[in-house]
Amino acid sequence: MGNSRSVLEEGLQEMSLTRRVGAPVDVVFRAWTDAKQLAEWWGPKRFTNPVCEVDARAGGAIRIHMRAPNGVVYPMTGRFVEIDRSHRLVFATAALDGDGNTMFEILNTVTFTAIAGGTEIALVAQVTSTTPAAPQYLAGMSQGWSQSLDRLTELVQR
């Protein structure tokens, strides 16, 4: 069920992606809100997450440090805006530079729909603020999310 489509609309700074996975909605939703599971799949291929903290409630914090294969760490912080268990998850994230300053912010909306044989995940990532440092990182957002969802699919279908 590796069905995936991705569109990054230039100028609008919004990316949408839909993925079908062969696992029940509850299992897929939990992989987004449980720190241990999130650490296993968040980020592009071969990235690890030495820091992954999640307080999965409206207003709760999220903090992830992604480590690239070359050892560079990309810290991110954020908060949960809305949680409708097993249906919808809305969270804001901010990518931080080496000094802890925000480079850009994204509002992520994830919808989980039960389908025959599993779950359809619909993700919309909307850039809400940027700095001059942001474009080089945002250029890889679609590919990064696609690879993250590949990793999520592998985790929940085990």
Side-chain angles (χ1 to χ4, degrees):
M1 298 182 83
N3 178 1
S4 174
R5 45 188 183 90
S6 175
V7 179
L8 181 59
E9 300 175 22
E10 286 189 34
L12 295 179
Q13 296 187 308
E14 181 175 291
M15 184 228 44
S16 62
L17 187 114
T18 302
R19 180 69 56 96
R20 292 176 175 223
V21 298
V25 171
D26 291 345
V27 170
V28 177
F29 187 87
R30 193 168 33 258
W32 285 79
T33 57
D34 176 75
K36 184 179 178 195
Q37 291 182 64
L38 191 63
E40 287 188 51
W41 67 265
W42 187 272
K45 292 178 187 174
R46 297 185 312 276
F47 276 62
T48 60
N49 297 292
V51 174
C52 187
E53 300 168 358
V54 176
D55 181 7
R57 61 182 174 83
I62 181 170
R63 185 167 75 112
I64 300 175
H65 290 188
M66 293 188 307
R67 180 180 293 140
N70 65 1
V72 174
V73 174
Y74 299 94
M76 180 217 68
T77 188
R79 65 181 168 72
F80 289 95
V81 176
E82 176 188 337
I83 297 180
D84 180 0
R85 295 255 173 239
S86 299
H87 299 288
R88 182 174 152 99
L89 187 61
V90 181
F91 58 102
T93 56
L96 308 176
D97 66 17
D99 296 323
N101 300 310
T102 299
M103 293 187 292
F104 57 90
E105 294 177 315
I106 298 175
L107 183 64
N108 304 280
T109 302
V110 188
T111 306
F112 305 87
T113 304
I115 57 170
T119 303
E120 181 175 274
I121 303 165
L123 165 72
V124 176
Q126 180 180 31
V127 178
T128 56
S129 71
T130 63
T131 65
Q136 67 177 337
Y137 299 101
L138 291 173
M141 182 169 66
S142 181
Q143 181 180 7
W145 266 119
S146 184
Q147 289 180 15
S148 290
L149 292 182
D150 287 346
R151 296 175 68 192
L152 168 67
T153 299
E154 290 173 16
L155 173 69
V156 299
Q157 292 184 170
R158 278 190 209 148

